Structure formats: C-alpha cells, structure tokens
Amino acid sequence: MIAKGDDRTIANPCHIFRALLRQCTYLPDSSARCFFRNYVVMRFRKHNPRPRIPSKPTLYPPKIQKALLNRARKGLTLLERANNGYRSPLLKVLEMTYGHRGRRRRELLQRLMQDAPPREEILKRLVPSITAQASGEIFGSQLEAFLNAQRRSEVGTSSVGLRKLSLAGPKIPSTNSWDRPMPLKRVQNMKEKWYADLLEQIMPPLPQEEWERLRALAIGIKWEELVPRRKRAGMTENETDHNPDAELSLSGIVESSKRVEISGSMTNPHRLTPRFRRRLWASVFAERSYMTWHVVEKKWIVQWGTQQTMNAVVDRPSLPLELSLFEGVDEQGKIISTQ
C-alpha cells in the first residue's frame, strides 16, 4: 500500500489512477483501450496488496513510493501525448498492444515456446563453434520453424531498433587472450548471452483473429470511431478551455507562435485523421505475423504482414472530373488536327 508522504512530488495515487483510466478510454484503438485499462489495474493492484493484519498495513518505503509514482506519471504522460496525436507515443502504445514490446510480447513469446525444451537443455545443445554448429533441431519444432520464417522475412531490415535475426550460433573462440583454453564458465556465459539476445530479437506471432483485425484496420476495411472526450467539471456546453487572457501575456504569445508549425512534426501533435491512424496501424502490421499448423503438409506456416498495406486505401473519395478540359486531344494528349 502506498501512503501519503510529506514530499510535494508525491501526489495522491488515487488521482493518478483515475487519470490513467480516463486516458485509457480516449485511445483511438479498442484493443489498446482494453489492454491498457487491464494493465493499469493490474499494476496498481500488484503494488497495493491487502494487508494480512488490518491494524498493520503493508507500506513501501518512501523511496520506493516515489519511484512507483514517478513511473505512473510517465505512463500518464505517454497516454496523454498519444491521445493528443504525437506519433512516437501513439506508435509505442500500439506496439505494446499488439505484442511488439512490453508485457504482451513476453506473453506471446511464452505461448510460442510451449513445446520448446528447457533453457538448460538448449544451452547444452549449442556447440561452442560457428563451423561446428549443430544443424539439427535445437529449440523445438514450433520455435525452430518460426525462427527460420523470421530469418527469411524482411522483419528487422526497415524497423528502428530491430536487427535481422541470425541463427549462426554464439561466437566462442577456442582460446582466450593468453592463448589458454577458454574457461568453461566463460563459454557458458557466452551461450547464455547469445540465447538471451536471440529471444530479444524474436517477434512472436499474434492470434489469427487479432492479426486479421489489424490487417483490416491497416488497409481500411475496418474502421473505429474516436471516443468523444468528457467536458471538464464546472464547464457548460458553450464554454471551452480557451483562455484569452493567457494569450495576451508574453508567454502566451510565445506559446501561440510555437503552435504555428506543420501538423505532425517532432514538437507538434498530429491530428488523429483516418489516414494518420491507418498508417500507424500499417506500420505495426508490417512486423506482425500469425502461425498455423498445416494439416496436409504437416508443418508450421507463418504469414507476415506487408508494408504495401500503407498504400492500400479503399475509402478514397472519388472526385468529379471536368471532361471539357480534355476536349480536342487524343488518348496520348496530342491535339487532334481539324484539317
């Protein structure tokens, strides 16, 4: 349980919790709204355990309380900026929702490694040499098939912070810097480091239904409306958040001049237009996949998203053409002679 402190930097946790839930309801994706609401509730319940003895509640030390509240404020800032149209925070929210990073990614990775052998067994199967690397099955049939599919795909070549998946094995030299045989402890550490780095590069597949829904959002077949925001307390329908007195001050003039920028730049939010949201969904969809078992061929099939969906717009408005502009010319645009 988090108690109130004397430090002014520690706010009321209930206020932060309610603000987080309010921002979750404004996210422009229904899956993101559901995921982040459950995530916020889970995190607050985890750090607010019920005391075994009612008269002696369990309290965190003030240092830990401050760190937890600062983490909650950072999450609140992320959601606020995402709802205001900043591209990087909104893309991060979608990546956390669809398993590109964070808790959802670890859950999907755990599902992918259900039939994989234990970690100690995998490390024993790794041969401490690149040339002598075993060519047989090391990680299990499902994980092995997905690793090969991701290695053959384009995932990791266009995204920032994601490298091309490599299955060459750990680079373990036979001798150390003193030309002595490599100690077994160092060999074990190199294997563990390579295996941990391999797991960080894996982009686990989504369930097929969720992958199909994300594809429909990326190409414009499916659509979701924005959630209208609630008015602030004490405001009527005709009142707004606009404060003319603030713009007459020097700071207000400076702030208003900063807003005269191109929408969607690094320092200014983007309007949550249909095209903007579709491009974000397509960016996430390009690195997501789903995995199914082919009954006839008896092997795992992995289907990846494509980057071409960003240009596949199905709801472009058709503009009326003025055919009179093309009178007197042929199909190639040359003037037809009247002689």
Side-chain angles (χ1 to χ4, degrees):
M1 182 180 296
I2 300 177
K4 296 181 179 179
D6 297 334
D7 193 354
R8 293 183 179 181
T9 59
I10 299 180
N12 190 347
C14 295
H15 295 171
I16 301 179
F17 178 67
R18 294 178 61 185
L20 284 168
L21 294 181
R22 186 181 303 113
Q23 292 298 326
C24 290
T25 60
Y26 299 148
L27 291 174
D29 187 288
S30 59
S31 297
R33 292 194 290 268
C34 181
F35 170 77
F36 273 92
R37 184 188 182 282
N38 296 334
Y39 182 74
V40 168
V41 173
M42 181 271 299
R43 291 290 295 176
F44 270 79
R45 285 179 177 174
K46 178 181 178 180
H47 296 291
N48 188 21
R50 293 183 178 180
R52 297 182 179 180
I53 304 177
S55 60
K56 296 181 179 180
T58 304
L59 297 177
Y60 284 111
K63 185 176 181 180
I64 298 180
Q65 294 183 32
K66 186 175 180 180
L68 291 175
L69 289 174
N70 288 337
R71 190 182 304 175
R73 288 194 197 94
K74 288 182 179 180
L76 179 60
T77 303
L78 174 68
L79 296 180
E80 288 178 348
R81 291 175 64 86
N83 289 325
N84 289 334
Y86 289 92
R87 187 182 187 279
S88 296
L90 184 53
L91 184 60
K92 184 177 181 180
V93 166
L94 295 178
E95 288 177 349
M96 294 178 65
T97 303
Y98 294 103
H100 187 92
R101 63 171 75 191
R103 179 182 179 86
R104 182 75 195 286
R105 177 187 175 276
R106 293 189 293 270
E107 293 176 353
L108 294 174
L109 184 60
Q110 187 176 5
R111 288 181 50 187
L112 180 63
M113 301 176 61
Q114 286 181 354
D115 65 337
R119 174 172 168 273
E120 293 77 11
E121 184 65 24
I122 294 178
L123 295 178
K124 289 181 181 179
R125 295 180 183 180
L126 292 176
V127 179
S129 175
I130 304 176
T131 58
Q133 181 64 39
S135 59
E137 185 178 297
I138 299 177
F139 306 99
S141 60
Q142 185 176 1
L143 182 57
E144 191 92 16
F146 186 81
L147 290 175
N148 292 326
Q150 182 174 339
R151 183 172 55 87
R152 293 190 299 266
S153 67
E154 297 296 330
V155 176
T157 58
S158 59
S159 60
V160 180
L162 184 64
R163 303 187 304 276
K164 188 74 174 179
L165 186 63
S166 176
L167 300 177
K171 297 181 179 181
I172 302 178
S174 57
T175 58
N176 57 12
S177 58
W178 291 281
D179 290 335
R180 297 175 182 176
M182 187 64 66
L184 298 179
K185 185 62 177 177
R186 285 199 61 191
V187 173
Q188 183 70 14
N189 292 340
M190 290 180 182
K191 288 182 179 181
E192 292 181 355
K193 184 178 182 302
W194 178 85
Y195 183 62
D197 187 64
L198 177 68
L199 296 181
E200 287 295 327
Q201 298 179 53
I202 297 176
M203 301 303 299
L206 289 171
Q208 184 174 357
E209 297 79 9
E210 189 173 357
W211 187 87
E212 294 289 349
R213 175 186 174 276
L214 182 59
R215 176 182 177 274
L217 291 172
I219 65 179
I221 298 177
K222 186 179 177 61
W223 183 246
E224 291 189 355
E225 297 292 339
L226 294 175
V227 178
R229 300 205 176 190
R230 189 184 64 179
K231 301 191 302 292
R232 290 187 179 182
M235 294 177 58
T236 62
E237 296 181 356
N238 298 327
E239 292 179 349
T240 61
D241 294 339
H242 178 67
N243 187 4
D245 296 335
E247 293 190 353
L248 294 178
S249 61
L250 179 61
S251 60
I253 296 175
V254 173
E255 291 297 327
S256 61
S257 64
K258 290 181 180 179
R259 289 194 292 268
V260 186
E261 298 286 345
I262 299 175
S263 178
S265 62
M266 294 297 293
T267 58
N268 290 270
H270 199 292
R271 290 182 300 171
L272 295 177
T273 59
R275 177 180 174 83
F276 174 65
R277 285 184 287 166
R278 186 169 54 244
R279 290 179 67 88
L280 289 179
W281 280 320
S283 178
V284 177
F285 174 73
E287 295 178 350
R288 309 312 306 153
S289 64
Y290 76 92
M291 195 173 189
T292 56
W293 174 258
H294 200 286
V295 181
V296 178
E297 299 182 2
K298 295 184 179 180
K299 66 177 183 180
W300 290 100
I301 304 297
V302 181
Q303 177 66 37
W304 289 91
T306 57
Q307 197 74 13
Q308 285 77 11
T309 54
M310 297 181 67
N311 300 323
V313 182
V314 298
D315 57 350
R316 271 182 194 165
S318 58
L319 300 178
L321 297 178
E322 190 66 32
L323 299 179
S324 61
L325 298 175
F326 303 97
E327 293 180 355
V329 296
D330 56 6
E331 295 179 355
Q332 298 180 357
K334 297 181 180 180
I335 299 176
I336 301 175
S337 60
T338 58
Q339 296 180 357

